[in-house]
Amino acid sequence: ELNSSSSTRGVKEIRIFEDSAPAVVYVETVTGHGTGVLVSNDGLIFTNSHVVDNAKKVYIYFMPKYAGKYSQDDYMTGMVVNNNKTADLALIKLTKNPVGVKPLSLAESSTIKIGQDVHAIGHPGGNAKWTYTRGYIGQILRNHEWGYDDGITRKAQMVIQSQTPIMGGNSGGPLLDDNGKVIGV
């Protein structure tokens, strides 16, 4: 019995990463970088507003097919079409639709529960691209306000507090449920 459970341990996490990571992008601007997620077949990408800052044009890198073959020449151009600094969300539209990349679906907010497992994929520290972490939801905050050191008061209808290891560079990346649906950014 011990052997059967240990041989299946991590199968869910591997599936979530393999199915979801191709839609997770590296977002680069003149002033910084972060993560984003492709959410439509017509090239729409969600990220955080603080990732794109005031940029109008950004560079988008999809996960390379071969590990270690990532190149700065392999980018697509995107235009920031919506930048809501108050909600800290931005929407990028690719100037050319990606080929062969399946966008991730958005989960219904009613499916998000305290205690459920969550998964994150992002680019922490700038060098660890397409890194997977997992955790759980600790709290759901409704009509929440917060701020950074920039003087802008942020507001959102729902903020998910999770115990998921993330750091600089993960900003804008998807928080996923066990079905690989996006529950948060």
Side-chain angles (χ1 to χ4, degrees):
E1 188 175 321
L2 180 62
N3 283 341
S4 67
S5 68
S6 64
S7 66
T8 60
R9 185 175 191 180
V11 170
K12 171 180 67 174
E13 292 82 359
I14 291 167
R15 179 190 53 78
I16 288 170
F17 179 80
E18 288 179 349
D19 291 349
S20 304
V24 176
V25 300
Y26 180 70
V27 179
E28 187 175 63
T29 70
V30 173
T31 59
H33 68 273
T35 305
V37 59
L38 181 70
V39 293
S40 74
N41 285 319
D42 62 347
L44 290 176
I45 295 170
F46 265 139
T47 190
N48 285 122
S49 173
H50 72 268
V51 168
V52 298
D53 195 27
N54 292 318
K56 300 293 182 210
K57 178 180 172 182
V58 297
Y59 302 99
I60 303 296
Y61 299 84
F62 283 89
M63 189 170 89
K65 290 188 185 345
Y66 306 103
K69 299 292 184 190
Y70 176 83
S71 167
Q72 293 225 346
D73 297 327
D74 299 327
Y75 67 86
M76 297 180 84
T77 304
M79 304 304 292
V80 178
V81 294
N82 195 333
N83 190 350
N84 185 330
K85 291 183 183 291
T86 301
D88 195 20
L89 292 173
L91 192 62
I92 299 166
K93 172 77 168 108
L94 291 171
T95 55
K96 179 178 156 189
N97 288 344
V99 177
V101 180
K102 182 182 171 202
L104 298 185
S105 299
L106 303 178
E108 295 290 329
S109 63
S110 62
T111 66
I112 303 168
K113 306 291 182 196
I114 294 171
Q116 82 180 67
D117 288 341
V118 292
H119 314 267
I121 302 171
H123 313 296
N127 292 322
K129 308 236 182 344
W130 289 276
T131 297
Y132 168 87
T133 58
R134 72 178 185 150
Y136 60 91
I137 295 176
Q139 187 55 269
I140 298 171
L141 307 169
R142 306 273 181 201
N143 299 312
H144 187 66
E145 293 186 14
W146 74 101
Y148 300 123
D149 294 335
D150 59 6
I152 299 172
T153 299
R154 305 311 200 278
K155 297 177 186 178
Q157 288 182 353
M158 181 171 63
V159 172
I160 299 167
Q161 177 188 329
S162 74
Q163 301 298 320
T164 310
I166 57 174
M167 60 187 275
N170 277 100
S171 289
L175 190 64
L176 306 165
D177 66 14
D178 279 346
N179 298 312
K181 290 189 175 188
V182 178
I183 63 169
V185 176

